Amino acid sequence: MAKRLPKILEGKNLLRVEDTACYVNDLGATEFVKTCAEFDLEERQGVAGKALLSNIYFVPDVLELDPDDYSFVYEAWKFGLHGAVAIK
């Protein structure tokens, strides 16, 4: 049975992080990926949402991003992460 989206999200493209599709070269970052996988992103939101627009998106230091633009800034800080890349 298909899960019904709240009215505010109907008609919008949502992106869900699939942790099995993520490459993490630091085992300590695995918890960060699990945390991100708990939330959906809209197109243009976050690093992955911007990759939907340009096929690839790279940020050398996510800590310089505004929390409104990248909702995982605090989690990235908590886990000591900086650079991020997303490929469509």
Side-chain angles (χ1 to χ4, degrees):
M1 177 180 280
K3 185 177 176 184
R4 191 157 162 73
L5 295 173
K7 283 189 179 252
I8 194 166
L9 298 177
E10 286 180 3
K12 292 185 178 182
N13 291 322
L14 295 179
L15 178 68
R16 174 161 289 159
V17 174
E18 176 57 50
D19 60 351
T20 60
C22 294
Y23 172 75
V24 180
N25 68 352
D26 178 357
L27 294 178
T30 303
E31 288 301 315
F32 175 75
V33 173
K34 287 181 183 178
T35 300
C36 293
E38 295 176 8
F39 301 94
D40 293 331
L41 296 172
E42 290 183 29
E43 205 170 27
R44 296 183 172 90
Q45 187 180 27
V47 176
K50 287 182 175 43
L52 293 174
L53 303 172
S54 62
N55 293 327
I56 188 169
Y57 192 77
F58 173 72
V59 176
D61 192 354
V62 295
L63 300 179
E64 295 177 3
L65 298 175
D66 187 287
D68 290 334
D69 188 47
Y70 184 63
S71 54
F72 303 120
V73 166
Y74 300 114
E75 287 81 4
W77 176 78
K78 176 182 171 184
F79 291 104
L81 304 175
H82 296 279
V85 65
I87 303 167
K88 181 177 177 181

